[in-house]
Amino acid sequence: MSSSSKTLRKLQVVYPVPADIDVANSVEPFHISEIAAGLDLSPDHYDLYGKYKAKVLLSALDELEGRGDGYYVVVGGITPTPLGEGKSTTTVGLCQALGAFLDKKVVTCVRQPSQGPTFGIKGGAAGGGYSQVIPMDEFNLHLTGDIHAITAANNLLAAAIDTRIFHESAQSDKALFNRLCPLNKEGKRNFGDVMLRRLKKLGISKDKPEDLSPQEVKKFARLDIDPDSITWRRVMDVNDRFLRKISIGQGPEEKGMVRETGFDISVASEIMAVLALTTSLADMRERLGKMVIGNSKAGEPITADDLGVGGALTVLMKDAIHPTLMQTLEGTPVLVHAGPFANIAHGNSSIVADKIALKLVGPGGFVVTEAGFGADIGTEKFMNIKCRYSGLTPQCAVIVATVRALKMHGGGPEVVAGKPLDRAYLSENVALVEAGCVNLARHISNTKAYGVNVVVAVNMFSTDTEAELNAVKKAALSAGAYDAVICTHHAHGGKGAVDLGIAVQKACENVTQPLRFLYPLDISIKDKIEAIARSYGASGVEYSDQAEKQIEMYTRQGFLDLPICMAKTQYSFSHNASEKGAPSGFVLPIRDVRASIGAGFIYPLVGTMSTMPGLPTRPCFYDIDLDTATGRVIGLS
């Protein structure tokens, strides 16, 4: 069944394409209840957040349990320039084509953007031109408060860590225990539910405080956190380079308990990764409780539940678990949910949004979800981490390419955000494009190895020539792509991606292989790292002493069977951002290895990864303002 024709909008396109915010403001969104009705979504299964947004409740999954799934499509890209190659725009344009022109039931699943890039250098992430999610200002700013909830939960856990160290430093085991289990009105002490979890972890089967021996009291009450081992940092959703490293505990009340820590951007929080990978409210509770914040001085992992805060974190996140329903410019439905950092975390929107969407569209319908950065990062993590936890199988992977990026990979001059493009990118040079297609070819072969059909979407710019575009199509097909299609959705909306929609439909209908992962989970951490490194073109891996130490510790602590989430530059297959094309034979250096145990992955650091971006000299916020006469936001990009 197609989306309700009542909620499909015919766009009046203008050339040249106006600024994104002006395009977004040129149409009046449908009331979100109309979008929900087009999906046969019962009002019992969503909560309105104003006129244009709604939270789709997880109860919708229970209601639709017996319905089959639609086709599942992931959109990745070639290794991008710093300007981005239009992956979000292509994701939206493809869905507009499927829903508004090809009469298919379709849902777009995308991440919620961070306010850091919105006010920083990159701008928002609603798509662009005539392929956008609207209202654009709401999408790019507070939305329904999920990132704020993550920020609050993350910082509550940070406060709990330092508070626990503070109180343990000044109290005996017995005094600490008595304060953790205070007398109730009847003069008795009880263990809370979260305390029973800790007792079980410790192998203590007693459930009454008075039954614990002095040794058990000490074991239960004293976490003995090693301050040097703490990996949990505070977060905020603003680019602020001066918070990357800070010292805390300098007040007179803290009695000299000073330590160095820092802030990350909120979307880099493990809680964001938990939100994206969870499958239910109960699963989220378990994952939040299992998050490891550091070790005891004896080398044992300390979790959020050990600190007694897992339940409170779940309460702060209870509304954030529900995806937000929005719409595209052409009135097709969108589920916006989660926004994990694509380097440190897996860079994909949520499992629950995809699962709900697949049931809502049903057999013959399409769910298109976007994976962050190039396919070496986003699509690899989509397959090996997200699909492992979801149990879902994609039929088609789209790889977005541009002539501009391929020229860069062919040896073109450096592309720098905020600076005019070199003439090489604005005039025809087929040889440069052909040379750069080695990058596209490796992404195609890597992605095909998962058992999906690969469709290349060539996102066309006005300066691209027919000869250059044909060179990309020819190279894509030679490399094994199922199809390669020229797209103009930025300028024309869904109409400019109809050929892409047809190609994706055929690719989904003709998939012949099961999903294959890049590595099994029951091999060593190093073997998994090396399997991914080989897919980049590396001949080997070099581990620092710190990385060796961490791998040994995580293996000893029992975290051996987790998937790997490589933290690597998005600008090259290698660790060196300046190495373009398809480098090979390099040795991949692993500087450190860390773990997100609640989210469920180990993340090796390839080089230096900043988890708190900085603001440029002229941030995007210079252009952002409010038209006080109309109340409309202006200047968002």
Side-chain angles (χ1 to χ4, degrees):
M1 173 185 156
S2 67
S3 295
S4 168
S5 57
K6 192 173 134 187
T7 59
L8 293 178
R9 179 187 297 104
K10 191 168 174 59
L11 292 177
Q12 302 297 319
V13 301
V14 176
Y15 188 81
V17 180
D20 289 348
I21 189 69
D22 295 330
V23 175
N25 286 340
S26 70
V27 300
E28 179 67 27
F30 295 111
H31 194 283
I32 202 65
S33 60
E34 295 181 56
I35 303 295
L39 285 169
D40 301 328
L41 190 60
S42 160
D44 293 338
H45 297 308
Y46 63 86
D47 288 337
L48 293 173
Y49 277 64
K51 293 189 287 186
Y52 307 129
K53 306 185 297 290
K55 281 279 196 179
V56 179
L57 307 177
L58 298 195
S59 59
L61 264 181
D62 301 327
E63 182 81 9
L64 297 164
E65 190 179 2
R67 184 187 285 190
D69 287 350
Y71 292 119
Y72 194 29
V73 180
V74 60
V75 178
I78 62 169
T79 305
T81 70
L83 306 177
E85 309 319 306
K87 206 161 66 274
S88 300
T89 308
T90 303
T91 302
V92 175
L94 169 59
C95 291
Q96 291 182 162
L98 287 165
F101 289 88
L102 297 173
D103 201 33
K104 301 297 178 186
K105 206 161 185 182
V106 63
V107 173
T108 313
C109 289
V110 290
R111 290 178 293 166
Q112 180 184 349
S114 164
Q115 288 178 182
T118 298
F119 292 115
I121 194 167
K122 193 175 179 183
Y130 287 100
S131 293
Q132 292 189 59
V133 180
I134 57 171
M136 180 214 189
D137 57 333
E138 295 183 30
F139 178 87
N140 281 314
L141 299 174
H142 306 286
L143 199 62
T144 46
D146 294 356
I147 293 180
H148 302 321
I150 287 160
T151 303
N154 185 101
N155 293 343
L156 176 62
L157 178 50
I161 295 165
D162 291 299
T163 295
R164 187 58 173 263
I165 296 171
F166 173 77
H167 287 300
E168 285 192 21
S169 70
Q171 297 180 56
S172 67
D173 297 338
K174 186 175 180 184
L176 189 63
F177 182 76
N178 287 344
R179 284 183 171 86
L180 289 169
C181 303
L183 292 170
N184 61 22
K185 290 177 183 176
E186 287 79 42
K188 293 186 176 181
R189 301 184 191 278
N190 292 307
F191 288 123
D193 288 345
V194 74
M195 294 175 166
L196 294 173
R197 288 172 180 255
R198 173 157 173 78
L199 289 167
K200 184 178 178 183
K201 173 184 170 180
L202 294 171
I204 299 172
S205 57
K206 299 166 185 175
D207 59 6
K208 292 180 181 174
E210 61 268 23
D211 292 344
L212 267 64
S213 68
Q215 292 80 14
E216 289 169 335
V217 163
K218 178 173 182 166
K219 200 174 175 185
F220 168 81
R222 196 162 291 282
L223 300 183
D224 203 24
I225 298 168
D226 177 2
D228 293 334
S229 76
I230 296 170
T231 54
W232 199 265
R233 289 153 58 94
R234 286 156 175 84
V235 299
M236 62 187 301
D237 197 35
V238 173
N239 292 358
D240 192 343
R241 67 178 73 243
F242 289 95
L243 291 178
R244 287 171 181 165
K245 184 178 273 192
I246 62 168
S247 61
I248 59 170
Q250 298 196 59
E253 299 292 318
E254 282 66 62
K255 300 170 185 171
M257 296 188 66
V258 177
R259 73 176 181 91
E260 276 196 352
T261 180
F263 274 76
D264 298 327
I265 197 159
S266 294
V267 290
S269 170
E270 183 179 349
I271 296 176
M272 176 63 91
V274 166
L275 179 65
L277 289 170
T278 194
T279 53
S280 68
L281 195 58
D283 178 66
M284 184 171 74
R285 171 65 187 88
E286 293 303 314
R287 287 175 180 270
L288 291 172
K290 286 196 299 186
M291 293 188 304
V292 172
I293 59 88
N295 298 323
S296 70
K297 288 171 183 169
E300 294 303 312
I302 303 295
T303 68
D305 271 348
D306 289 329
L307 284 155
V309 75
L313 302 181
T314 310
V315 169
L316 284 170
M317 293 293 294
K318 71 179 177 62
D319 296 321
I321 196 173
H322 305 296
T324 300
L325 181 66
M326 295 188 76
Q327 63 192 283
T328 67
L329 280 166
E330 296 187 58
T332 59
V334 180
L335 284 178
V336 186
H337 205 210
F341 223 46
N343 295 102
I344 297 297
H346 63 293
N348 283 261
S349 65
S350 78
I351 287 172
V352 293
D354 290 0
K355 284 194 163 188
I356 290 170
L358 285 163
K359 295 297 183 191
L360 287 173
V361 299
F366 290 82
V367 171
V368 182
T369 188
E370 181 192 349
F373 291 148
D376 56 318
I377 295 180
T379 304
E380 183 271 309
K381 294 174 182 180
F382 171 85
M383 300 291 185
N384 292 306
I385 301 175
K386 185 176 177 181
C387 288
R388 264 202 168 98
Y389 284 122
S390 70
L392 299 173
T393 299
Q395 288 77 39
C396 174
V398 175
I399 296 179
V400 179
T402 61
V403 166
R404 175 180 69 194
L406 292 169
K407 284 181 175 179
M408 178 190 72
H409 287 294
E414 189 179 4
V415 176
V416 180
K419 289 188 179 178
L421 282 170
D422 187 274
R423 180 162 174 75
Y425 296 104
L426 306 174
S427 55
E428 183 173 281
N429 190 328
V430 176
L432 206 56
V433 174
E434 288 173 338
C437 282
V438 293
N439 183 270
L440 173 60
R442 183 177 289 171
H443 282 299
I444 291 170
S445 61
N446 280 359
T447 306
K448 273 188 72 179
Y450 295 107
V452 297
N453 283 331
V454 175
V455 174
V456 172
V458 187
N459 188 17
M460 181 179 171
F461 288 49
S462 60
T463 51
D464 299 342
T465 69
E466 189 175 352
E468 290 173 330
L469 295 167
N470 285 336
V472 181
K473 285 181 68 174
K474 182 181 175 184
L477 295 170
S478 297
Y482 184 86
D483 205 348
V485 183
I486 311 301
C487 306
T488 61
H489 43 273
H490 182 272
H492 302 119
K495 186 178 179 181
V498 168
D499 289 346
L500 177 61
I502 292 168
V504 165
Q505 181 180 348
K506 287 180 181 173
C508 287
E509 291 170 348
N510 291 289
V511 70
T512 56
Q513 301 175 63
L515 177 64
R516 294 194 299 267
F517 297 119
L518 185 59
Y519 53 82
L521 290 180
D522 60 357
I523 59 175
S524 72
I525 291 172
K526 281 189 174 181
D527 284 344
K528 285 181 269 199
I529 291 171
E530 284 153 24
I532 298 171
R534 283 192 297 274
S535 77
Y536 298 155
S539 59
V541 178
E542 183 178 79
Y543 301 91
S544 70
D545 290 345
Q546 172 67 10
E548 292 276 10
K549 178 180 147 194
Q550 292 296 103
I551 289 170
E552 188 278 325
M553 182 184 76
Y554 292 135
T555 302
R556 177 174 49 79
Q557 290 177 340
F559 303 137
L560 180 71
D561 60 347
L562 293 175
I564 299 297
C565 186
M566 296 287 256
K568 177 184 79 73
T569 177
Q570 68 269 36
Y571 295 123
S572 173
F573 272 112
S574 77
H575 55 286
N576 182 354
S578 64
E579 286 280 325
K580 304 304 180 187
S584 60
F586 57 90
V587 175
L588 194 76
I590 305 296
R591 180 175 62 85
D592 198 357
V593 178
R594 297 178 190 164
S596 291
I597 302 304
F601 52 74
I602 303 283
Y603 63 99
L605 297 174
V606 184
T608 304
M609 285 289 121
S610 174
T611 49
M612 172 55 86
L615 289 170
T617 306
R618 191 190 186 283
C620 292
F621 62 61
Y622 271 81
D623 300 313
I624 298 169
D625 213 324
L626 195 71
D627 183 331
T628 55
T630 64
R632 279 194 159 174
V633 174
I634 53 176
L636 269 179
S637 61

